């Protein structure tokens, strides 16, 4: 049996969040980080850095944001529908395309199929245009004044581009100012000209199940399907075959009424956890779309942290704020903050910061959070940190003092 903290540490180690980086980030670390997580969710909200950049920063420290776009343009990763829109490692291209073609029922894919069924001639004409003239952005097509489409008011060409992307006929060649640039799939990923052997649904499911367990480090069976949003939700018996093959180990976790599962690739980390030598020392601000917190039940069971993204909640009904960042400190989620980067003024505003209910930060935690705030603000190009409000209110003065010392 392992303790809950040891289970957390296994999870964080697999996610690259157990310890702070030991060297300055290098370009290849972006692809390696995404390969480790298996997915990097894409979101466009930018009150602070957009989610994919922030997820990487929490693991790599300072790095140039353009490395993400350069990694995409260089072919080390690609964009796909998974549990949501995500970047994924290039090595998984055939796997995701096959699963999306045969099994996934995400709304983005369903919308694409519906558009194709109703407007295929328009899609073919757009494909011919791209084949002849090269990659395009949605902004290359003028929207007639006052008109829009059915997807968030998109113009027709945007819907057609997204439909062709969902169908796999187009891929994202690169991003310009975070806007998608679409091109023929075989030009973006020449390996598609040499198709991989067709995989049956059971093989696809098994591959994604293993990848999810490996990415999570330690997981209950019921959490596995959410990572890639596969179906159905698993039960313990569904993992018996992997257990018999030695692909996973079943582990009892103190306080859990269900076993945990660890992939064979983490056997050494499991032994370190059992020996008490797998120690969490990293402090970071997490994106709301970080794999550690996007599954509400998993975050609650692992960390006692009830997290819900409130940016789509009416302002008057929000509890914590618009785009709230969980605070990871040495293996615990110890609070959350609502922040905004005022780039023109060079100010990183902490509009509100909340400690976990019923807890009081130690001096060590206070200084670790202050140092992380200072580093995160500097990376944003907003070096002045402004603390507006904290709960408890007495934390504000202590945090400001710690920031001056950071």
């Amino acid at each position: 049996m392992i303790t809950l903290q040891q289970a957390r540490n296994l999870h964080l180690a697999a996610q690259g969040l157990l310890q702070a980086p030991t060297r300055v980030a290098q370009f290849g670390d972006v692809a390696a980080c995404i390969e480790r997580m298996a997915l990097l969710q894409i979101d466009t909200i930018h009150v602070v850095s957009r989610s994919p950049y922030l997820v990487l920063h929490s693991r790599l420290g300072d790095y140039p944001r353009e490395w993400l776009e350069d990694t995409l343009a260089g072919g080390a990763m690609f964009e796909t529908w998974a549990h949501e829109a995500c970047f994924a490692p290039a090595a998984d291209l055939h796997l995701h395309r096959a699963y999306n073609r045969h099994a996934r029922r995400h709304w983005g894919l369903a919308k694409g199929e519906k558009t194709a069924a109703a407007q295929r001639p328009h899609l073919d004409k757009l494909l011919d245009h791209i084949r002849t003239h090269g990659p395009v952005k949605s902004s290359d097509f003028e929207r007639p004044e006052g008109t829009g489409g059915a997807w968030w008011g998109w113009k027709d060409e945007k819907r057609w581009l997204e439909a062709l992307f969902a169908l796999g006929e187009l891929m994202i060649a690169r991003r310009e100012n975070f806007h998608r640039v679409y091109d023929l799939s075989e030009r973006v990923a020449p390996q598609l000209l040499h198709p991989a052997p067709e995989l049956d649904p059971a093989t696809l499911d098994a591959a994604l199940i293993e990848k999810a367990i490996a990415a999570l480090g330690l997981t209950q069976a019921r959490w596995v399907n959410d990572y890639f949003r596969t179906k159905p939700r698993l039960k313990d018996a569904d993992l018996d075959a992997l257990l018999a093959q030695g692909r996973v180990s079943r582990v009892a976790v103190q306080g859990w009424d269900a076993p945990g599962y660890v992939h064979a690739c983490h056997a050494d980390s499991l032994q370190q956890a059992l020996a008490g030598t797998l120690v969490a020392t990293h402090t970071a601000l997490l994106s709301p779309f970080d794999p550690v917190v996007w599954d509400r039940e998993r975050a609650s069971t692992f960390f006692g942290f009830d997290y819900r993204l409130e940016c789509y909640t009416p302002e008057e009904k929000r509890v914590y704020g618009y785009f709230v960042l969980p605070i990871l400190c040495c293996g615990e989620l110890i609070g959350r903050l609502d922040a905004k980067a005022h780039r023109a003024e060079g100010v990183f505003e902490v509009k509100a910061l909340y400690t976990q209910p019923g807890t009081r930060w130690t001096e060590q935690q206070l200084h670790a959070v202050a140092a992380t705030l200072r580093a995160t603000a500097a990376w944003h190009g907003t070096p002045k940190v402004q603390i507006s409000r904290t709960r408890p209110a007495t934390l504000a003065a202590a945090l400001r003092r710690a920031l001056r010392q950071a």
Side-chain angles (χ1 to χ4, degrees):
M1 177 176 286
I2 63 174
T3 66
L4 178 58
Q5 188 59 59
Q6 289 168 338
R8 291 174 180 169
N9 292 353
L10 267 169
H11 175 49
L12 295 171
Q15 281 287 319
L17 286 167
L18 187 72
Q19 298 174 339
T22 57
R23 58 170 174 76
V24 175
Q26 300 174 10
F27 175 70
D29 293 338
V30 171
C33 191
I34 293 168
E35 184 172 1
R36 185 175 200 163
M37 294 184 293
L39 291 174
L40 176 58
Q41 185 172 335
I42 301 168
D43 191 81
T44 59
I45 296 172
H46 60 285
V47 290
V48 292
S49 280
R50 289 182 175 93
S51 179
Y53 303 103
L54 192 59
V55 170
L56 292 172
H57 181 259
S58 67
R59 289 155 172 81
L60 302 179
D62 281 1
Y63 74 98
R65 285 173 188 76
E66 60 267 23
W67 282 1
L68 181 63
E69 285 83 356
D70 293 345
T71 300
L72 176 65
M77 67 182 186
F78 67 101
E79 293 193 30
T80 185
W81 285 110
H83 73 289
E84 291 295 346
C86 291
F87 297 112
D92 293 343
L93 175 62
H94 287 294
L95 175 62
H96 279 282
R97 286 173 69 89
Y99 194 80
N100 286 352
R101 189 163 58 247
H102 296 303
R104 190 179 301 287
R105 300 313 311 158
H106 191 279
W107 68 262
L109 300 172
K111 284 280 191 181
E113 291 171 358
K114 184 177 179 180
T115 299
Q119 304 186 54
R120 187 70 230 191
H122 294 294
L123 272 62
D124 290 337
K125 184 177 179 180
L126 185 53
L127 279 174
D128 287 340
H129 174 87
I130 295 170
R131 190 174 291 112
T132 302
H133 299 286
V136 300
K137 302 188 296 290
S138 171
S139 59
D140 293 337
F141 303 93
E142 297 213 4
R143 187 217 294 263
E145 188 65 30
T147 64
W151 296 16
W152 301 289
W154 286 352
K155 56 194 167 188
D156 288 338
E157 289 83 1
K158 174 64 173 176
R159 289 187 292 116
W160 298 337
L161 287 168
E162 285 297 308
L164 289 165
F165 170 70
L167 294 169
E169 296 176 53
L170 294 181
M171 289 180 63
I172 309 307
R174 61 185 184 277
R175 281 183 176 254
E176 296 179 0
N177 295 322
F178 213 67
H179 296 294
R180 284 172 158 176
V181 178
Y182 303 79
D183 200 357
L184 302 179
S185 293
E186 61 270 22
R187 292 204 294 230
V188 177
Q191 61 266 42
L192 294 175
L193 295 171
H194 308 284
E198 195 68 26
L199 300 175
D200 63 84
T203 302
L204 291 171
D205 279 339
L208 290 175
I209 286 169
E210 279 205 56
K211 282 186 174 293
I213 295 172
L216 288 167
L218 185 145
T219 178
Q220 292 186 13
R222 60 185 286 106
W223 303 333
V224 172
N225 76 296
D226 181 74
Y227 206 78
F228 292 102
R229 208 59 54 84
T230 55
K231 292 183 180 295
R233 174 172 277 198
L234 301 183
K235 299 179 180 179
D236 292 309
D238 295 318
L239 297 177
D240 284 346
L242 287 176
L243 196 68
Q245 296 164 18
R247 303 296 295 164
V248 301
S249 299
R250 187 174 282 158
V251 181
V253 178
Q254 192 173 32
W256 285 8
D257 58 4
Y261 294 88
V262 180
H263 194 270
C265 68
H266 297 307
D268 289 345
S269 293
L270 175 58
Q271 291 306 310
Q272 292 173 38
L274 289 166
T277 58
L278 195 68
V279 181
T281 60
H282 188 33
T283 300
L285 304 183
L286 303 184
S287 161
F289 303 105
D290 194 290
V292 170
V293 294
W294 84 45
D295 183 324
R296 189 175 183 182
E297 178 190 309
R298 172 159 49 84
S300 178
T301 304
F302 257 127
F303 297 98
F305 192 81
D306 186 22
Y307 183 74
R308 183 169 66 90
L309 181 64
E310 297 182 302
C311 60
Y312 305 113
T313 301
E315 184 174 1
E316 66 275 9
K317 295 184 178 181
R318 292 176 194 149
V319 177
Y320 294 109
Y322 178 75
F323 197 72
V324 173
L325 312 181
I327 304 170
L328 175 71
C329 183
C330 300
E332 298 180 80
L333 291 176
I334 65 170
R336 65 197 83 201
L337 61 89
D338 186 22
K340 181 175 177 61
H342 300 275
R343 295 167 178 86
E345 297 83 6
V347 174
F348 190 88
E349 180 189 6
V350 178
K351 300 169 72 174
L353 185 151
Y354 307 85
T355 63
Q356 272 290 81
T359 68
R360 182 173 180 172
W361 287 2
T362 65
E363 281 295 309
Q364 181 182 4
Q365 289 172 326
L366 181 69
H367 286 282
V369 172
T372 297
L373 272 172
R374 182 70 70 195
T376 302
W379 177 70
H380 276 81
T382 54
K384 182 179 179 181
V385 180
Q386 176 182 308
I387 307 295
S388 297
R389 181 167 60 90
T390 65
R391 185 182 299 169
T394 53
L395 182 65
L399 188 55
R400 291 186 187 109
R401 284 195 300 271
L403 281 164
R404 289 194 290 270
Q405 299 168 13

